[in-house]
Amino acid sequence: MKTYEILKDLAIIIIVAKLMGLVARKCKAPMVVGEMIAGLIIGPCLLGVLKPNDFISQMAEIGVILIMFSAGLETNLQELKKSGFVALLIACAGVAVPLVCGTLLYMCFHGFAAVGSDEFFKALFIGCIITATSVGITVETLKEMGCLKGHVGQTILSAAIIDDIVGIIVLTFVLGFKDPESNTAAVTGRIFMFLAISFILGYFIYRIFKVVDERYPHTRRIPIIALSLCFIMAYVAEKYFGIADITGAYIAGIILCNVRDAEYIDRKVNVNGYMFFAPIFFVGIGLKTDLSHIDSSMIVFSLAFVLTAMLSKVIGCGLVARCCKFSGIDSLKIGAGMMTRGEVALIITNKGLGMKIIDPSYFTAVILLIIVSSIVTPILLKFLYSKSPDPEPIHN
């Protein structure tokens, strides 16, 4: 591919992605929805201006790694400590129930397969896609209503953070077991070895980074070193442990999330990530989405997929919240707040496509889920809070 062709493709992707992102924001939807639709418009589905190629795929992979690194940096470990056992239980239910429901949904449409077979892993992967919560829409809605700092709002926020961590761990196991030559002990051993080494080395890296950060605060070398750590962790995870590179990038972010300049690092990473690499990733999703094979059965599956994904979060998180002595309506608020899906669901889907676990047509179901959940969640939360307010606490 000629260099000037690459430049033309990049210009088209960035301009159309940003335009559609602004349109989506005006419609009160996440910008990523607009960027995905941009890919559908300029891709083979509609205009056919661009086609997926290796260069776009490689740039998109960097985008995914930066998104996950940023997610790790934004993890608030202090808040996790405060939230304690209740948020952990809600998050675990918010992963387990959708995982099981998504797996059963696929099997109901395509037949029940033997454990360990390719069809079984496809079903399990569909469950993985709907485990991740994207709490951004929920946070903005709660802020608007003045309820983010209330007990329910903080529980939703903490559970969503833990939810992402647990979901990534589950994905890591599923991808590890997908290898036909793998066995349970070997996969489990590799994953726990990587997590243990990351925990030990991460502590020392954090201490060193803290010293450097205090000596050279807000200097460009800080985000540069942090970004190097992100890429090294992503490389080591996949190369030496057979673990998804996004897991390594996410853990790199968690290692640095408590340094003084974590927000500064995140801001600098976002300049490159969200201005350049992330739009390429989301537009690439649209480019790879194949609507030519969409038939009535896939449409029915997509609708069932959306319904299952949303209800499983409400049921799983809501029931556990009720068992933890939240009121009935507060339990519904927590379940509704965990319904939204976003970047992580797309990242997981893209990873499955790259490993040839699922077909590109499943992107249609995921995109529909993101759009519907982003619209329904704010409406439902506002309705529930109108029935039972949970205002921010007043500090004297």
Side-chain angles (χ1 to χ4, degrees), residues 109 152 156 183 204 234 265 290 311:
F109 274 81
V152 172
I156 293 171
N183 60 69
F204 289 105
I265 295 168
D290 186 3
L311 288 179

Side-chain angles (χ1 to χ4, degrees), residues 39 44 47 71 136 180 208-209 222 228 292:
L47 299 181
I208 294 169
F209 213 98
I222 299 299
S228 299
S292 62

Side-chain angles (χ1 to χ4, degrees), residues 1 7 16 22 25 33 49 59 91 119 126 155-156 172 211 243-244 250 253 255 262 269 319-320 338 355 360-361:
M1 189 177 184
L7 297 176
V16 179
L22 290 173
R25 181 177 283 181
V33 172
V49 177
M59 292 297 101
E119 283 300 303
I126 292 296
T155 301
I156 293 171
T172 302
V211 172
I243 293 170
Y250 188 68
I255 289 171
V269 169
L319 282 178
V320 171
M338 299 285 284
M355 295 184 67
S361 59

Side-chain angles (χ1 to χ4, degrees), residues 170-198:
V170 170
L171 172 66
T172 302
F173 272 94
V174 172
L175 293 180
F177 287 125
K178 176 63 178 66
D179 184 352
E181 297 181 0
S182 67
N183 60 69
T184 304
V187 172
T188 305
R190 286 201 310 268
I191 292 170
F192 279 107
M193 187 182 298
F194 176 74
L195 294 175
I197 292 173
S198 298

Side-chain angles (χ1 to χ4, degrees), residues 4-292:
Y4 58 82
E5 292 291 340
I6 292 172
L7 297 176
K8 179 203 70 175
D9 290 354
L10 289 177
I12 293 172
I13 287 171
I14 292 170
I15 291 171
V16 179
K18 290 305 175 184
L19 285 174
M20 293 305 299
L22 290 173
V23 171
R25 181 177 283 181
K26 289 288 185 183
C27 297
K28 305 296 183 183
M31 287 188 69
V32 297
V33 172
E35 291 172 353
M36 286 184 296
I37 292 173
L40 291 172
I41 293 171
I42 63 177
C45 285
L46 291 175
L47 299 181
V49 177
L50 295 181
K51 294 181 180 180
N53 57 56
D54 291 340
F55 175 77
I56 292 175
S57 297
Q58 288 163 359
M59 292 297 101
E61 186 66 20
I62 296 174
V64 172
I65 289 170
L66 293 180
I67 290 169
M68 295 307 295
F69 181 52
S70 179
L73 285 170
E74 292 171 7
T75 301
N76 190 331
L77 294 181
Q78 299 303 320
E79 189 59 49
L80 293 185
K81 290 178 183 176
K82 290 178 188 176
S83 62
F85 193 58
V86 171
L88 175 63
L89 286 177
I90 292 171
C92 288
V95 170
V97 175
L99 178 66
V100 172
C101 290
T103 302
L104 291 175
L105 173 69
Y106 182 90
M107 289 182 173
C108 286
F109 274 81
H110 301 284
F112 287 78
V115 175
S117 65
D118 284 345
E119 283 300 303
F120 173 78
F121 279 109
K122 283 182 182 179
L124 200 58
F125 198 84
I126 292 296
C128 275
I129 292 171
I130 60 175
T131 58
T133 294
S134 178
V135 78
I137 297 293
T138 299
V139 167
E140 288 302 316
T141 304
L142 293 176
K143 276 184 182 178
E144 183 184 315
M145 295 188 296
C147 301
L148 181 60
K149 294 183 181 177
H151 183 42
V152 172
Q154 286 299 297
T155 301
I156 293 171
L157 188 58
S158 300
I161 294 169
I162 300 171
D163 180 289
D164 276 351
I165 296 172
V166 176
I168 291 296
I169 292 172
V170 170
L171 172 66
T172 302
F173 272 94
V174 172
L175 293 180
F177 287 125
K178 176 63 178 66
D179 184 352
E181 297 181 0
S182 67
N183 60 69
T184 304
V187 172
T188 305
R190 286 201 310 268
I191 292 170
F192 279 107
M193 187 182 298
F194 176 74
L195 294 175
I197 292 173
S198 298
F199 179 80
I200 296 168
L201 289 181
Y203 174 77
F204 289 105
I205 291 169
Y206 166 74
R207 302 301 298 183
I208 294 169
F209 213 98
K210 192 175 180 182
V211 172
V212 174
D213 193 20
E214 288 173 355
R215 184 170 296 181
Y216 308 104
H218 273 62
T219 54
R220 282 181 292 182
R221 71 192 69 177
I222 299 299
I224 290 171
I225 297 170
L227 194 58
S228 299
L229 175 65
C230 164
F231 289 137
I232 290 169
M233 291 286 289
Y235 171 77
V236 169
E238 187 143 337
K239 173 70 175 179
Y240 296 105
F241 292 90
I243 293 170
D245 50 11
I246 57 174
T247 304
Y250 188 68
I251 291 176
I254 291 176
I255 289 171
L256 301 180
C257 70
N258 270 349
V259 299
R260 185 171 62 179
D261 269 343
E263 187 177 339
Y264 173 69
I265 295 168
D266 191 29
R267 192 164 65 248
K268 292 297 183 182
V269 169
N270 282 342
V271 170
N272 292 311
Y274 282 89
M275 282 186 65
F276 183 72
F277 290 105
I280 294 175
F281 168 67
F282 292 119
V283 170
I285 295 293
L287 293 178
K288 287 187 285 190
T289 302
D290 186 3
L291 299 180
S292 62

